Amino acid sequence: MKFLVFLVLLALVVYALVRVAQQRGLRPPPRRPAAPPPRPHGPDDDPEFLRDLDRKRRQEEGGTGGPGGTGTGT
């Protein structure tokens, strides 16, 4: 019977020590997963690409073509 009481008291002391260690931060906090890497953007998200695409389309149609273009400019 004395052995059982000793075992319970020992378990309580170990439990208390573990709780105190967790609260004081002796163990490092669990790591959060890293944020996912940024997704690559397609060329259709790039304003410069879209501007250049529009300029080329207008040149093919005979439009102005933007600054310095050779079109008639309507």
Side-chain angles (χ1 to χ4, degrees), residues 51-52 54-56 58-59 62-73:
R51 216 177 359 260
D52 187 48
D54 189 44
R55 182 183 55 79
K56 288 178 182 178
R58 287 184 185 185
Q59 281 180 348
T64 62
T70 58
T72 57

Side-chain angles (χ1 to χ4, degrees), residues 29-45:
R31 301 183 106 198
R32 292 184 180 176
R39 293 180 29 191
H41 295 286
D44 59 338
D45 292 341

Side-chain angles (χ1 to χ4, degrees), residues 5-51:
V5 171
F6 174 75
L7 192 61
V8 169
L9 289 176
L10 181 64
L12 287 174
V13 169
V14 170
Y15 175 76
L17 289 175
V18 168
R19 291 294 297 215
V20 168
Q22 285 178 343
Q23 288 177 354
R24 289 191 178 187
L26 296 179
R27 290 177 43 192
R31 301 183 106 198
R32 292 184 180 176
R39 293 180 29 191
H41 295 286
D44 59 338
D45 292 341
D46 185 14
E48 185 178 337
F49 173 78
L50 294 174
R51 216 177 359 260

